[in-house]
Structures are given as structure tokens and as C-alpha cells.
Amino acid sequence: MLAVALADAKRLVREPMYQQMNAILRALLKTGEFAEGDRFLTERQIAERFQVSRPTANKVLAGMVSEGLLAFRKGVGTFVRPPRLNYDIQTLVSFTEKVKEAGKMPGTRVLEFRRIKASEADAEVADKLQVNENQELFAITRLRLADRVPVILERRWVPIDIFPGLSRQELRGSFYAICRDRYGLIIAESDQTIRAVKPMGQDAKVLEARSGSPAFLVSAVGYSGSRAAWWEKTLYRGDMYEFHRARSSPGRLIQVFPQ
């Protein structure tokens, strides 16, 4: 502890105050002193421990909250958030597998599963799936969870002739696994658009997020050969997800638009 304190003191001499504290507090999250879900240092504790002003401590804490490293609970305190889940915008990777890789337990609630005609959905659905208004579809809404925390609200429409016999029970697992294992589909590519949005009303309630809090809306068509196999509009909680594209990997350009 003495060595850590001396190292902290040296940094406080060399660098601007806010940058020092920003680096030090982030480093604390990696030392094991604070585990996921633990209450973090208060503004007063930071000021006393590192001999900085409370406004500086407040500014650093606010920045860490806005980036999703910490979570502020009114009247309770500031707590360490779990790491964000990763969304690779170049590859189609199962949510179930990604959550397991992150050391968490995946879960799915099927909120809607019904048979409809394309004419019963928004015109956008028929257009994206390239079907006529009498084509029968499955309309699917699923809530995806990581360690029982809602992180994704997924709405998906699929042509019934591509997925005959699809059941509600199957949809509690990986949709990509259904495509591959049951229907023998090779999903070679996906045309995606990503927008920054603010879920309101029922969507925010289902995701257990504050109304108007940041989220990502991913709209995508999945293709099996030249045929559109699904159209989805999926909400990802902004405090639980980050999107990335590996520099060295080739891939389709993803369009990203602010709302």
C-alpha cells in the first residue's frame, strides 16, 4: 500500500490535477480493491485520500459515470459497473456465446411470437424482406439478459416459408444456432444500420433503463444467399454495450447515424 501511495503522490506532482485523478481512479478499478457491484469512493473520500478538491473529485466521478464505468444511485451512492458487452459490427456472433465469453449467464424472454401477414406489419418490413403483403411471417419480440439484467430488446420478422415449424420454445436460445442447426441456413452477410436513440415509455421500462437514457438501435437484414432471411430492429442498452470494428479485418461498411 505504501508503494501505491508513493506512486500516486508522484503522479499528483507531474500531471494536471483532473488528469491525475482520472487515471488513478480508473486504475483502482483494475486493482481488485473494488469488485463489480461494490460501492465506490465518495467525493469526500476521494478528496481526503488524494488531497484534491471536492469539485475535482466530483468531475472525475461524473465522467466515469457518463462512460459507464460507474453507476450513480440517487440517495445511495456510486457503484462499480460490470464491463460492457462487446458487439462486433463485422461479424454475426451469437448473443448467447458472447455473454458466456464475458463470464455471464445468458437468458431470453420471448415477449411475442405470432403468425402475421406482411400487410399487418409496417410497410418497411415487407420492403426489407422483399415479400408481398400476403406473405406469412413470424413476428418475434425477445428480451435478452446477461446475469438476469435486461440488455437487448429485439424485434425480428422472418418469412414462415424459410422457418416452417419454428416454435416459441426454440427462441429461448440462439437464433443463429436455429438458422444453422435446424434449417441449415448459411447466413453469409448482414446489411446493418446503427443509430443512437433514447428509448422512451414501454421500451425503456422493459429494458429497465431510465426513460431517455442512451441506447443503440440496430436495424438489419440477414441474408441466406440472395434471400432476405430476417429483418430486425434491436435496441441495445448504451450503458451495457460498446460497438467495435477490428482494423485488420475486412468487412462491409456499417452506416452509423445520430438520431
Side-chain angles (χ1 to χ4, degrees):
M1 291 298 294
L2 178 59
V4 172
L6 289 173
D8 289 346
K10 290 179 181 178
R11 297 185 67 174
L12 290 173
V13 171
R14 291 196 304 264
E15 301 172 353
M17 192 64 67
Y18 172 76
Q19 293 180 16
Q20 301 162 32
M21 292 312 308
N22 193 29
I24 289 170
L25 295 187
R26 287 164 191 270
L28 280 179
L29 295 179
K30 300 177 182 179
T31 63
E33 182 176 345
F34 298 94
E36 292 179 19
D38 282 355
R39 187 182 305 215
F40 195 61
L41 297 172
T42 65
E43 176 187 306
R44 181 175 181 177
Q45 288 171 331
I46 293 170
E48 292 178 351
R49 177 169 172 174
F50 298 103
Q51 296 298 297
V52 297
S53 70
R54 292 186 65 165
T56 296
N58 179 270
K59 182 179 178 181
V60 177
L61 284 176
M64 295 174 73
V65 169
S66 68
E67 290 183 37
L69 298 174
L70 302 174
F72 176 71
R73 301 177 194 169
K74 188 174 181 180
V76 181
T78 306
F79 295 80
V80 179
R81 275 192 181 279
R84 286 181 172 134
L85 294 166
N86 184 280
Y87 183 107
D88 185 343
I89 63 177
Q90 289 182 272
T91 58
L92 295 174
V93 180
S94 164
F95 167 83
T96 301
E97 295 306 316
K98 272 293 186 183
V99 172
K100 287 180 179 178
E101 286 176 10
K104 300 180 183 298
M105 181 177 67
T108 301
R109 297 176 193 162
V110 182
L111 306 181
E112 178 189 39
F113 178 62
R114 61 191 180 98
R115 192 180 188 120
I116 66 170
K117 287 188 176 182
S119 58
E120 298 175 53
D122 292 341
E124 181 182 44
V125 175
D127 178 61
K128 296 296 184 180
L129 289 175
Q130 301 171 18
V131 297
N132 64 56
E133 62 181 15
N134 292 317
Q135 179 85 38
E136 288 195 308
L137 312 172
F138 284 126
I140 303 162
T141 303
R142 302 193 299 173
L143 182 66
R144 316 304 300 275
L145 305 99
D147 283 349
R148 300 183 181 180
V149 176
V151 293
I152 296 175
L153 179 58
E154 169 196 292
R155 293 183 174 93
R156 194 186 300 263
W157 296 265
V158 303
I160 290 178
D161 67 316
I162 297 181
F163 296 91
L166 182 64
S167 71
R168 189 184 193 99
Q169 179 64 31
E170 289 175 294
L171 291 168
R172 293 178 180 169
S174 167
F175 182 75
Y176 295 155
I178 293 172
C179 291
R180 180 190 65 232
D181 300 336
R182 179 169 180 190
Y183 295 100
L185 299 175
I186 299 175
I187 307 300
E189 58 183 344
S190 176
D191 189 355
Q192 304 179 69
T193 299
I194 303 171
R195 289 186 173 89
V197 297
K198 295 181 178 180
M200 307 295 285
Q202 187 63 22
D203 283 355
K205 183 177 180 180
V206 170
L207 282 170
E208 296 181 11
R210 295 190 316 275
S211 185
S213 59
F216 299 103
L217 174 63
V218 176
S219 303
V221 182
Y223 291 94
S224 178
S226 61
R227 176 97 188 261
W230 75 75
W231 165 243
E232 68 170 296
K233 301 190 78 170
T234 300
L235 281 169
Y236 292 76
R237 277 180 51 169
D239 60 338
M240 300 295 293
Y241 261 89
E242 63 183 16
F243 287 59
H244 88 278
R245 179 182 186 276
R247 181 179 178 182
S248 60
S249 301
R252 169 188 302 275
L253 178 64
I254 306 300
Q255 300 176 18
V256 184
F257 300 103
Q259 187 179 29

